[in-house]
Amino acid sequence: MNHVDLPLWVTIPGTLLLVFGGLLVLIGSAGLVKLEHFYARMHPPTMGTTLGTGCVLITSMLVSSALEQRPVIHEILITVFVVMSAPVSAMLLMRAAVYREHRKRPEPTQPLDDIGGTIPPRD
Amino acid sequence: MKPTPGRWPIALTCVLVVMWLLLNQTLALGHLLIGIVLAVLLAWATRYLRPLQPRISRPWLFVPLLFMVLADIVRSNIGVARIVLGLVGERKVRSGFVRIPLDMRDPHALAVLAGIVTSTPGTVWVGVDEGGKRLTLHVLDLRDESEWVRWIKQRYERLLMRIFE
């Protein structure tokens, strides 16, 4: 096995960022279990897709650049694709939940916009 | 009806070339040429798919927008983490929907706002009503509704309107 020595200025921030990113994903998943309602549960996993992924990608850029002795920045593309695709799935889930909520109501013709100010009780 | 092509999407062409070079991690002339040919072909194809082109009047304002979004993402990550870990004291966290009247009509600006809002933990975009006059958001930690209205309108809507209109 090849043993590669990375300089300290890479390993220390890299490790910190990986641990921090991992913690964010963990807390986000814990929130998914802990929170009560679907709407509230939509929020915590976003932590993993934004700052969590960001930390891992910055580490990847740092470590790859140090290993290859040249700037490696194509991880930026991952950020771009995540930023473009993650909100779409979140919005689809949200709208599906709102439509389902309306179907359960006695007056199903209510417009999507007309939802109550507080989250409906859990069934 | 045959769709009429819009004007040439210059920005899309440039973005595709840059993307090709980033993917191949090179600045070699050969890859640059392949990238340009591909980008021109794809941009030509999409002209018929999406005739509506964004009009970006102040592109340099994307730079402050980017830093604002990054700062908000970091801040709201901390906020949501505190709620999940129960570090908000005795306060009961109440979540709910917020309705925000919008002055912004440009569909591209609305799309950017939707991306920003949904990428920020603690807020999810639900939708805009017919005509795009009123935006509905779901907010995890809803303390003061008017505070959210102010946050969206003053922080983002004004800047996006200056970029796109």
Side-chain angles (χ1 to χ4, degrees):
Chain A
M1 213 183 118
N2 292 342
H3 182 78
V4 189
D5 274 322
L6 283 168
L8 270 185
W9 62 266
V10 173
T11 46
I12 291 175
T15 315
L16 288 177
L17 281 169
L18 273 186
V19 171
F20 184 61
L23 272 178
L24 282 174
V25 176
L26 183 68
I27 295 171
S29 313
L32 191 65
V33 177
K34 193 186 164 195
L35 294 180
E36 300 241 307
H37 195 272
F38 177 82
Y39 296 127
R41 282 179 165 170
M42 288 293 296
H43 299 284
T46 317
M47 294 165 59
T49 56
T50 55
L51 205 54
T53 317
C55 288
V56 176
L57 291 178
I58 293 172
T59 314
S60 168
M61 286 191 231
L62 265 175
V63 173
S64 314
S65 303
L67 281 178
E68 303 207 9
Q69 304 287 318
R70 65 182 175 86
V72 178
I73 51 162
H74 64 304
E75 281 88 346
I76 289 175
L77 282 177
I78 302 179
T79 321
V80 172
F81 292 137
V82 168
V83 163
M84 270 163 42
S85 57
V88 177
S89 55
M91 279 179 237
L92 281 175
L93 283 171
M94 206 64 191
R95 294 189 77 96
V98 170
Y99 275 118
R100 199 184 54 177
E101 210 76 57
H102 282 299
R103 272 183 52 188
K104 279 198 235 155
R105 290 189 174 192
E107 58 276 33
T109 49
Q110 254 185 329
L112 171 69
D113 192 40
D114 198 6
I115 2 176
T118 49
I119 49 171
R122 198 184 187 188
D123 41 34
Chain B
M1 197 184 88
K2 191 173 175 291
T4 48
R7 66 189 160 74
W8 191 266
I10 303 161
L12 178 68
T13 318
C14 298
V15 167
L16 285 173
V17 173
V18 171
M19 200 179 270
W20 178 263
L21 293 177
L22 269 174
L23 273 173
N24 288 291
Q25 305 193 57
T26 176
L27 281 173
L29 185 66
H31 272 297
L32 187 65
L33 287 175
I34 298 174
I36 289 173
V37 169
L38 269 175
V40 166
L41 280 175
L42 286 169
W44 175 74
T46 54
R47 267 199 322 161
Y48 292 89
L49 292 177
R50 189 158 174 74
L52 190 64
Q53 295 265 335
R55 281 185 309 116
I56 297 171
S57 46
R58 298 180 183 87
W60 61 89
L61 286 176
F62 274 117
V63 178
L65 180 72
L66 181 71
F67 283 104
M68 231 159 76
V69 173
L70 284 178
D72 276 343
I73 285 178
V74 172
R75 212 169 30 197
S76 57
N77 262 282
I78 297 167
V80 175
R82 285 170 65 98
I83 290 172
V84 171
L85 296 173
L87 299 175
V88 284
E90 295 298 300
R91 192 166 64 82
K92 180 101 179 69
V93 175
R94 188 174 69 93
S95 47
F97 293 96
V98 182
R99 245 63 63 88
I100 297 167
L102 283 182
D103 299 315
M104 197 160 70
R105 291 289 174 275
D106 187 85
H108 299 93
L110 285 173
V112 172
L113 184 63
I116 292 172
V117 164
T118 314
S119 301
T120 315
T123 48
V124 180
W125 178 279
V126 182
V128 281
D129 63 353
E130 293 282 323
K133 288 199 182 67
R134 210 160 54 143
L135 157 69
T136 309
L137 294 184
H138 187 267
V139 178
L140 181 61
D141 187 11
L142 183 64
R143 261 178 283 186
D144 183 10
E145 210 164 310
S146 59
E147 200 180 296
W148 285 102
V149 175
R150 232 183 7 253
W151 185 71
I152 292 289
K153 286 198 80 74
Q154 294 189 352
R155 212 170 150 74
Y156 287 119
E157 192 188 22
R158 196 188 293 167
L159 188 57
L160 283 172
M161 279 173 87
R162 285 185 67 203
I163 294 176
F164 282 98
E165 284 168 14

